[in-house]
């Protein structure tokens, strides 16, 4: 049997802890997340959670970053510009229909961030980065002549983020109310028509 390196063991433990934290968030929100409960749920002690993350805030911050990473597959393979934005819009909503507990936890925490002094700054930063990526795509699209010159990139970016997150939350609350893949295709067509 092949022995795992210390780094591989650390990554496995962190994944288990983040998954346990995500499950707790999805079940009952942030209030249920304690270092002790995360450790118990993952099959470890509270001490291992403290060792890996140090605090609840650091754990939640790591959970948010981990849940957002790789949510929309293949977007990074498309060059910046209008097509990349359209791929993002369509695949984001397509991914919503297949999300696991990490991504569900992200959306639950995002909704909770409205009234949370712990989460508010973290999600303002994440949303700012998300909007900045969209602005960069719009500016690249304008430079290439694919996006109309009268488009206001920051305004469009804010609307796109609101649409994507809002539709994702709607799906989580009432899965029968929306088919994410169909919504993704419709939103892609909408933005192509509006921006071109």
């Amino acid at each position: 049997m092949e022995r795992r390196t210390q780094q591989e063991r650390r990554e496995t433990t962190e994944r288990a802890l983040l998954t346990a934290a995500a499950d707790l968030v999805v079940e009952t929100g942030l209030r249920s997340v304690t270092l002790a409960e995360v450790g118990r749920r993952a099959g470890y002690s509270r001490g291992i959670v403290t060792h890996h993350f140090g605090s609840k805030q650091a754990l939640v911050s790591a959970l948010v970053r981990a849940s957002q990473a790789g949510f929309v597959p293949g977007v990074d393979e498309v060059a910046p510009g209008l097509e990349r934005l359209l791929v993002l819009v369509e695949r984001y909503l397509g991914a919503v229909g297949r999300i696991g507990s990490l991504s569900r936890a992200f959306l639950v925490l995002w909704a909770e961030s409205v009234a949370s002094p712990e989460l508010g700054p973290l999600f303002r930063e994440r949303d700012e980065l998300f909007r900045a990526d969209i602005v960069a795509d719009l500016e690249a699209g304008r430079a290439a002549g694919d996006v109309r010159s009268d488009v206001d990139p920051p305004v469009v970016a804010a609307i796109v983020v609101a649409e994507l997150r809002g539709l994702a939350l709607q799906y989580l609350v009432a899965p029968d109310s929306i088919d994410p893949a169909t919504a993704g295709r419709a939103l892609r067509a909408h933005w192509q028509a509006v921006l071109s």
Side-chain angles (χ1 to χ4, degrees):
M1 187 164 138
E2 186 177 325
R3 290 186 55 149
R4 294 182 304 158
T5 66
Q6 182 176 356
Q7 180 65 26
E8 289 169 333
R9 289 191 306 273
R10 179 177 180 78
E11 289 170 1
T12 298
T13 301
E14 284 187 9
R15 257 192 317 276
L17 296 172
L18 291 172
T19 299
D23 291 342
L24 287 166
V25 165
V26 169
E27 291 168 17
T28 55
L30 183 61
R31 72 183 175 281
S32 66
V33 177
T34 66
L35 299 183
E37 185 58 21
V38 169
R40 187 196 67 72
R41 176 72 68 102
Y44 296 101
S45 68
R46 173 196 168 128
I48 199 77
V49 184
T50 302
H51 174 73
H52 280 268
F53 298 104
S55 68
K56 178 180 176 178
Q57 184 65 29
L59 170 66
V60 171
S61 181
L63 174 60
V64 168
R65 284 191 312 278
S67 62
Q68 206 174 19
F71 182 75
V72 184
V75 171
D76 293 335
E77 298 163 13
V78 181
L82 178 59
E83 182 59 24
R84 184 176 188 275
L85 173 59
L86 298 175
V87 167
L88 168 71
V89 165
E90 184 173 6
R91 290 186 185 172
Y92 186 102
L93 290 175
V96 165
R98 302 181 302 276
I99 63 174
S101 65
L102 277 177
S103 297
R104 285 180 186 274
F106 179 87
L107 291 168
V108 169
L109 292 171
W110 183 71
E112 284 190 27
S113 74
V114 171
S116 169
E118 289 176 280
L119 295 173
L122 180 62
F123 278 89
R124 277 192 294 279
E125 175 192 2
R126 302 314 302 171
D127 286 353
E128 186 177 305
L129 292 170
F130 194 10
R131 288 190 306 271
D133 282 347
I134 294 169
V135 166
D137 285 334
L138 291 166
E139 289 173 348
R142 281 202 314 200
D146 298 329
V147 173
R148 292 186 354 244
S149 62
D150 63 337
V151 167
D152 186 340
V155 170
V156 171
I159 293 168
V160 169
V161 170
E163 287 174 331
L164 295 177
R165 298 266 172 79
L167 288 166
L169 283 173
Q170 184 176 336
Y171 177 75
L172 289 181
V173 171
D176 294 338
S177 69
I178 182 175
D179 174 51
T182 302
R185 288 189 297 275
L187 204 54
R188 177 192 173 109
H190 165 78
W191 283 113
Q192 179 141 25
V194 167
L195 297 171
S196 297

